[in-house]
Amino acid sequence: MKTRKSVSLQISLSVWFTAAILLSACGATAASGKQAAPGSSGQPGQEVTELRYQGSVGSVTYPELAEDLGYLAPLKLKFIGNTISGPQDIQATVTGDTDFGGAFNGAIVKLIAAKAPIKAVISYYGVDDLTWTGYYVLDDSPIRTARDLIGKKIAVNTLGAHHEFVIKEYLRREGLTSEEIKQVTLVVVPPVTSEQTLRANQIDVATLGGILRDKALERGGIRPLFTDRELFGNFSAGSYVITDKFVQNNPNTVRKFVEGTAKAIEWARTTPRDEVIARYAKIIKERNRKEDATAIQFWKSTGIAGKGGLIAESEFSTWVDWLVKEGELRQGDYSPDELYTNAYNPYDKPE
């Protein structure tokens, strides 16, 4: 964040935001360089006070939790719809349909490589001892090794994201060539129907995590071929991104957003599980989106490796190296500071 040039500008963020909200009632324009949503900003030169975002059906995002806990105030969130695809979510941010979006870090690298002017600012999901994804086959499946997957179908929720990267990394580590990997077909299947599709023998491998994995294992008849945790251990896998222009024009807004989200992550990490689930259930009920909150009862952990969602360099360099191997990037094309920043995270302090 740039140093203010005069004492008069050294006003508290809370007071500054309150003034911006009052001015926004007069129909002023945002500093983001385009017409802002009603009530989202103050006069030219002031920062937006309302962030547009996409949510997820039946679950609570950390920004939503932060708002409910009061960590974002006076900043507000504006829900514009749901998404089940990280790549779509961050593309919506690039096009200006939302102010922030989240995706797998590898997908973020690919989008930046395509000249998208975005930067990751905080982790929001990952893999740990309790939260991970497995790639399952039927008990009687002849598939036992990576080589057995040649000519077979694996169900994923979307292409170009977490599961595609993990699957291809597994295949590569097991010795398959690029040409052999191309013979393994990834099929987009809604996560809620992946188990059924596997049991109907319409696919050979189902990608299952969370409640969908737990319920499938309860019913039996399936076994894991590999898991993302076996491959990579505990790590943060995805981040929220914001455009460079938005960061430049709204540094205080970005700092408040990251600060509140980071505090919400730590609240979820350190609060007893039953209390976290109860809070999530309350949020889902009060927002009245006519959604099923059953999955919330199976929440286990944040899965986020860094305190307050701090991003580790390896969580991006791993996927940069992967894309170099794939021939999609050249070695040295990007340095970490071009991909992510922890500058706005209050937990980015020396121990």
Side-chain angles (χ1 to χ4, degrees):
M1 181 176 175
K2 296 181 180 179
T3 304
R4 290 176 172 80
K5 296 182 180 179
S6 67
V7 176
S8 63
L9 288 178
Q10 295 175 357
I11 183 171
S12 74
L13 183 59
S14 178
V15 173
W16 182 89
F17 266 117
T18 301
I21 291 171
L22 291 173
L23 287 168
S24 70
C26 299
T29 302
S32 61
K34 65 177 183 179
Q35 188 65 36
S40 66
S41 67
Q43 293 178 342
Q46 294 182 326
E47 302 186 26
V48 298
T49 58
E50 182 178 85
L51 298 178
R52 298 160 300 147
Y53 77 103
Q54 295 184 112
S56 181
V57 177
S59 66
V60 176
T61 67
Y62 290 109
E64 288 173 328
L65 176 62
E67 182 175 46
D68 189 71
L69 290 168
Y71 295 157
L72 288 185
L75 191 63
K76 295 183 181 298
L77 299 179
K78 182 177 182 180
F79 172 74
I80 68 166
N82 288 306
T83 182
I84 62 168
S85 167
Q88 183 278 329
D89 200 26
I90 59 176
Q91 286 165 12
T93 301
V94 173
T95 59
D97 294 309
T98 60
D99 295 311
F100 68 88
F104 169 61
N105 290 335
I108 293 172
V109 174
K110 288 188 72 170
L111 197 56
I112 292 175
K115 308 305 179 185
I118 56 173
K119 185 163 287 187
V121 293
I122 186 170
S123 298
Y124 77 98
Y125 87 91
V127 173
D128 64 17
D129 296 354
L130 299 175
T131 301
W132 48 272
T133 297
Y135 301 83
Y136 290 84
V137 298
L138 296 174
D139 276 344
D140 60 0
S141 170
I143 298 174
R144 297 284 174 179
T145 69
R147 189 157 296 279
D148 296 331
L149 290 170
I150 296 175
K152 300 299 191 296
K153 298 177 181 178
I154 305 177
V156 295
N157 68 316
T158 188
L159 297 176
H162 182 112
H163 301 308
E164 179 173 346
F165 277 67
V166 169
I167 291 166
K168 288 185 176 179
E169 179 64 13
Y170 166 71
L171 297 174
R172 180 180 288 109
R173 288 191 191 184
E174 293 299 309
L176 271 67
T177 66
S178 296
E179 287 304 312
E180 289 172 330
I181 291 173
K182 290 177 183 178
Q183 296 175 54
V184 180
T185 303
L186 302 185
V187 181
V188 176
V189 176
V192 294
T193 61
S194 289
E195 178 194 354
Q196 178 185 349
T197 308
L198 175 66
R199 295 187 188 279
N201 291 304
Q202 294 176 316
I203 55 173
D204 301 289
V205 184
T207 300
L208 299 170
I211 180 177
L212 299 177
R213 178 196 65 224
D214 294 345
K215 286 295 186 182
L217 289 173
E218 282 181 10
R219 284 184 276 270
I222 64 172
R223 56 181 169 82
L225 185 62
F226 66 98
T227 72
D228 52 8
R229 187 170 179 272
E230 289 173 349
L231 290 176
F232 299 105
N234 294 359
F235 68 104
S236 293
S239 306
Y240 283 125
V241 302
I242 297 177
T243 65
D244 296 339
K245 185 174 184 179
F246 191 94
V247 172
Q248 180 181 358
N249 290 334
N250 303 279
N252 290 314
T253 299
V254 174
R255 186 173 297 279
K256 187 64 177 178
F257 166 73
V258 175
E259 175 187 283
T261 302
K263 289 181 178 179
I265 289 170
E266 284 308 296
W267 182 89
R269 190 199 300 273
T270 58
T271 300
R273 178 173 175 269
D274 288 347
E275 290 183 36
V276 176
I277 291 173
R279 191 84 183 206
Y280 283 175
K282 178 187 82 72
I283 293 171
I284 291 174
K285 180 179 179 181
E286 291 179 350
R287 69 191 185 192
N288 194 28
R289 296 180 192 165
K290 297 180 174 59
E291 55 196 323
D292 185 358
T294 302
I296 288 300
Q297 303 303 318
F298 292 83
W299 183 88
K300 294 181 179 179
S301 67
T302 67
I304 299 170
K307 186 174 183 180
L310 284 173
I311 301 170
E313 180 176 336
S314 62
E315 290 161 356
F316 273 86
S317 63
T318 294
W319 308 115
V320 170
D321 293 344
W322 193 92
L323 288 165
V324 168
K325 292 176 184 176
E326 285 286 293
E328 296 188 41
L329 291 180
R330 293 177 303 176
Q331 191 70 47
D333 274 354
Y334 293 95
S335 60
D337 62 355
E338 294 177 277
L339 305 172
Y340 75 90
T341 179
N342 286 316
Y344 299 97
N345 196 312
Y347 295 98
D348 186 28
K349 300 175 181 177
E351 293 294 334

